[in-house]
Amino acid sequence: MRSTIVAGNWKMHLDVAAARTLAGAVSAHVRSAALPPQVGVVLCPPAPLLAAVIDEVRDTSIGVGAQNMHAADSGAYTGETSAGMLLSLGCTHVILGHSERRQYFHESDQLVNGKLLQALRQGLRPIVCIGETLEQRETGITQPVLEIQLRESLAGISAEELRGVILAYEPVWAIGTGRTATPEQAQEAHAFIRSVLADMSDSDTAAHMVIQYGGSVKADNAAELFAQPDVDGGLVGGASLDATAFAAIIDAAR
């Protein structure tokens, strides 16, 4: 059985005190909820808040991920963070290729691939984001766009390594807009992604890979989205900043 993973992407929000409060509330819910082992929770705060969140979720099953990292071990890269630094803090995951990184910081599939290779070498579990813009969807090229992103972002990865990669399908037109792909649209995209993964590796590997949905996931639509056969949880943005809403989304992943 595949895992269902709910990850909260806090983006550039909160301060240390607020991060501790939110992480503490999520920790309390996870402790009391007695989640089945196949349901995972990951919190992804901004880099300056990672240590505080790791401290708050200690001794729970909650993973902590960074929102980005550099592909190099170390070097003269002012403002960047290495995988080794993240591991030394206690991070378990890292988001790579989020649409906002691609849009605002011009990250290419090739750059994402370099970061992915480094994350896997270092032992961080990557959450690799792919997704089409509204213009691409309306012109009917969603599937070619997703296939290119998959093949280029995941280049050079063995079938064994692929099983450790989490994918997040995030239609760019649904991120922070309040618009959400219908469950049917999400399932169609996820099924297509899984078919490409099978072609890139094998059907068993593709069947075991976790593919999250990201794009205005909320407490009132999470259960229907997660019920789709190829949707394995969510990469949650704004709703992850509200402890009550995020708890409801976690519960929907049961």
Side-chain angles (χ1 to χ4, degrees):
M1 179 182 292
R2 285 194 304 272
S3 296
T4 299
I5 298 176
V6 177
N9 178 13
W10 293 0
K11 306 192 180 184
M12 197 174 72
H13 296 291
L14 308 182
D15 57 19
V16 170
R20 285 189 177 278
T21 298
L22 179 54
V26 174
S27 296
H29 179 75
V30 168
R31 285 191 180 97
S32 65
L35 297 174
Q38 70 270 21
V39 175
V41 177
V42 182
L43 299 179
C44 300
L49 309 182
L50 283 167
V53 171
I54 288 167
D55 187 53
E56 287 295 326
V57 304
R58 203 176 304 279
D59 300 324
T60 74
S61 61
I62 298 171
V64 178
Q67 297 175 12
N68 185 36
M69 54 162 268
H70 198 277
D73 288 333
S74 61
Y77 303 108
T78 300
E80 291 291 333
T81 305
S82 71
M85 293 172 184
L86 298 177
L87 287 165
S88 70
L89 278 175
C91 288
T92 52
H93 295 69
V94 62
I95 299 173
L96 300 176
H98 191 279
S99 65
E100 290 157 1
R101 298 293 312 174
R102 294 175 184 264
Q103 178 182 356
Y104 301 132
F105 302 98
H106 311 293
E107 292 195 0
S108 65
D109 293 324
Q110 292 74 23
L111 182 63
V112 173
N113 179 247
K115 294 180 179 185
L116 171 62
L117 293 168
Q118 175 72 334
L120 291 171
R121 280 194 297 266
Q122 296 287 346
L124 285 170
R125 190 169 189 189
I127 301 173
V128 178
C129 303
I130 61 171
E132 81 283 4
T133 65
L134 181 59
E135 180 182 6
Q136 290 166 337
R137 172 164 281 274
E138 289 180 339
T139 54
I141 60 170
T142 292
Q143 291 188 354
V145 167
L146 295 179
E147 183 163 4
I148 290 170
Q149 290 177 337
L150 282 168
R151 292 189 181 277
E152 296 189 356
S153 297
L154 304 180
I157 307 299
S158 69
E160 182 179 358
E161 289 171 324
L162 270 175
R163 289 174 181 247
V165 175
I166 300 167
L167 285 171
Y169 167 63
E170 40 165 31
V172 180
W173 48 271
I175 297 172
T177 64
R179 299 179 60 175
T180 309
T182 66
E184 294 75 21
Q185 287 173 321
Q187 169 57 26
E188 180 182 30
H190 282 233
F192 174 74
I193 291 166
R194 210 173 293 282
S195 73
V196 175
L197 293 171
D199 186 64
M200 292 173 63
S201 55
D202 56 76
S203 58
D204 190 57
T205 295
H208 280 83
M209 288 188 66
V210 172
I211 308 175
Q212 299 174 310
Y213 171 78
S216 297
V217 178
K218 297 181 175 64
D220 60 3
N221 62 22
E224 194 173 7
L225 286 165
F226 298 170
Q228 303 306 306
D230 286 294
V231 177
D232 309 315
L235 181 59
V236 185
S240 70
L241 298 170
D242 181 302
T244 301
F246 194 58
I249 294 169
I250 292 169
D251 291 343
R254 288 178 177 275

